[in-house]
Amino acid sequence: MINVIVPITNNAEKYVESLSQLSLRSDVNLVIGITESLNKAVNLNFPNAKTKVFDDKSKKEEILNSLQYLLEDGKTLICRRPFSMKEYK
């Protein structure tokens, strides 16, 4: 299992395509942390993804620390910026 943690504090729309593709993979535990205002602006309710909404003042490091309890056994990938599926592979 590969844990993919994505803290989103800006540019949420740039994450949508890659996250929607990752959410369909059975070998990925997708964990998304997003600020409240961005969550209202962009729909990130993907199948097989765990999404937690944070206060708008939250920083990426705070979000990452808060999401650790959602990790499963296996490797962990932290995506701090928007990425393509080519970069993921």
Side-chain angles (χ1 to χ4, degrees), residues 1-5 25-31 48-50 67-77:
M1 180 66 64
I2 300 171
N3 296 291
V4 178
I5 304 175
R25 295 180 57 133
S26 61
D27 63 334
V28 172
N29 174 32
L30 182 57
V31 181
N48 303 318
K50 300 168 187 158
L67 297 175
Q68 289 182 16
Y69 76 96
L70 295 170
L71 300 181
E72 297 178 8
D73 288 339
K75 297 179 181 182
T76 301
L77 174 64

Side-chain angles (χ1 to χ4, degrees), residues 13-57:
E13 64 282 346
K14 293 183 179 180
Y15 288 91
V16 173
E17 183 179 340
S18 55
L19 294 180
S20 65
Q21 291 179 29
L22 277 180
S23 70
L24 300 174
R25 295 180 57 133
S26 61
D27 63 334
V28 172
N29 174 32
L30 182 57
V31 181
I32 304 167
I34 188 167
T35 58
E36 189 174 3
S37 60
L38 290 175
N39 187 54
K40 291 178 183 176
V42 177
N43 181 10
L44 295 180
N45 293 325
F46 300 120
N48 303 318
K50 300 168 187 158
T51 304
K52 186 172 178 192
V53 179
F54 291 85
D55 185 70
D56 283 336
K57 296 177 185 177

Side-chain angles (χ1 to χ4, degrees), residues 58-69:
S58 298
K59 296 182 176 156
K60 286 187 179 188
E61 293 302 320
E62 295 170 330
I63 293 172
L64 288 171
N65 291 336
S66 297
L67 297 175
Q68 289 182 16
Y69 76 96

